[in-house]
Amino acid sequence: MMAYLHLLKNEHMKLFKRPRIWVLIGLMVVMNIIVSLFFKFLFKGTYFTFWDYIQVSSYLLIVIQLMCIIVSGDIVSSEFEKGTIKFLFTRPVKRAKILLAKYLTVLYIIGLFVLLQLLMSCILGLIFYSGTLFDLVQKVLVGLGGYLFQFIEMIVMCSIAFCLSALTRSSVFSIAVPIFLLFTSSAVITLLDHYHYQAGKYLLFANTNLMPYFYGEPLFEGMSLPFSICNIFIHLVILFYFTLLSFTKRDVQV
């Protein structure tokens, strides 16, 4: 157990020793300041509340999602590209536990970035719209719901990037494919819905956005919240099965 805790600590230290993670956090801060000033100017003289800003700021999570995909798609493959994976395999820890430690680090980063984004939104919202903090309307749920549903979608996309990182051992491929899917999947799903192609409801990306179950209608007939949750779970289990099989069985050539 202690060896595994040291492994988790090592993953955390390696991540935050790299300048890239601090650059991404810095970009988050700058981005939020610019956006808050823009909306303050844009909605000057209108009734734009604290909760309106929280709702709007949730759309910035698409940028945070890109940042998390970069981290997730690089966390395993970079070890192979640099040759440092052989040092990890010399530790008295099974390969499966090494992979789990890296995935837990990915989940930690996703949670950290989402919480930082929400914290910065709250701080900037209080600076500019503190007088409307207690105007509790439906927008409270919409704003916070946007963060929750985006968080779930981020876990799915980053899990794909992470698995590709372990399967292909290529950082470029592991980052590029999830980003491509992120920007094209919604168009494909919308097209399938337009032509009433019901088999589209079984695709993973038709189920990753859970917001319609609470604020609208699902895309395809017969879809429900339990259906989408099961669909996501089944896809991820299959993906992680092949990832674990590849990571634990393949020879290491670095």
Side-chain angles (χ1 to χ4, degrees):
M1 185 64 182
M2 288 302 299
Y4 192 67
L5 291 176
H6 284 303
L7 181 63
L8 284 172
K9 182 179 179 181
N10 182 59
E11 291 297 329
H12 181 273
M13 290 175 60
K14 284 194 297 184
L15 190 64
F16 282 91
K17 277 185 177 180
R18 302 182 68 176
R20 181 180 61 188
I21 199 75
W22 296 107
V23 171
L24 294 177
I25 292 174
L27 286 174
M28 287 176 59
V29 174
V30 173
M31 175 181 66
N32 275 275
I33 293 174
I34 292 174
V35 168
S36 64
L37 291 173
F38 173 76
F39 279 106
K40 180 63 177 177
F41 173 78
L42 183 65
F43 294 104
K44 186 178 181 180
T46 64
Y47 187 67
F48 191 78
T49 69
F50 172 87
W51 295 106
D52 284 315
Y53 181 73
I54 294 298
Q55 180 182 352
V56 169
S57 70
S58 67
Y59 293 106
L60 293 177
L61 287 174
I62 187 66
V63 182
I64 310 301
Q65 187 167 344
L66 292 175
M67 295 178 180
C68 291
I69 287 174
I70 292 172
V71 175
S72 305
D74 182 67
I75 195 168
V76 178
S77 54
S78 62
E79 299 277 9
F80 287 98
E81 292 170 351
K82 296 176 181 177
T84 53
I85 192 68
K86 58 186 177 183
F87 297 111
L88 277 178
F89 287 167
T90 59
R91 290 175 174 268
V93 180
K94 293 181 179 180
R95 291 190 183 187
K97 291 186 176 181
I98 293 174
L99 192 66
L100 177 60
K102 288 187 172 294
Y103 184 63
L104 290 176
T105 304
V106 167
L107 295 180
Y108 166 74
I109 285 298
I110 297 172
L112 176 64
F113 277 21
V114 171
L115 287 176
L116 281 176
Q117 173 61 28
L118 180 58
L119 178 62
M120 286 187 287
S121 297
C122 289
I123 292 173
L124 291 168
L126 286 172
I127 291 174
F128 294 115
Y129 313 104
S130 59
T132 60
L133 175 62
F134 296 103
D135 294 351
L136 303 179
V137 292
Q138 187 180 6
K139 293 175 183 177
V140 177
L141 296 177
V142 175
L144 296 178
Y147 275 85
L148 175 61
F149 297 129
Q150 283 276 20
F151 177 68
I152 295 172
E153 188 171 354
M154 287 171 68
I155 290 177
V156 175
M157 294 304 302
C158 291
S159 295
I160 293 173
F162 174 81
C163 290
L164 289 177
S165 181
L167 285 168
T168 66
R169 305 180 181 184
S170 168
S171 297
V172 174
F173 185 84
S174 305
I175 294 171
V177 170
I179 291 177
F180 174 78
L181 292 173
L182 179 65
F183 289 106
T184 59
S185 59
S186 59
V188 173
I189 297 302
T190 302
L191 189 65
L192 293 175
D193 175 56
H194 177 74
Y195 288 102
H196 306 290
Y197 192 73
Q198 291 299 311
K201 68 182 179 181
Y202 296 104
L203 297 177
L204 173 62
F205 297 105
N207 296 272
T208 52
N209 183 13
L210 303 180
M211 189 175 291
Y213 294 117
F214 297 90
Y215 305 116
E217 294 291 333
L219 285 173
F220 297 96
E221 184 180 352
M223 292 181 66
S224 63
L225 182 60
F227 173 86
S228 291
I229 293 174
C230 289
N231 186 291
I232 293 171
F233 180 77
I234 292 170
H235 275 89
L236 290 184
V237 166
I238 294 173
L239 187 58
F240 274 106
Y241 171 77
F242 287 106
T243 302
L244 184 62
L245 194 65
S246 172
F247 190 77
T248 55
K249 300 298 183 183
R250 285 171 61 183
D251 293 332
V252 178
Q253 296 177 354
V254 293

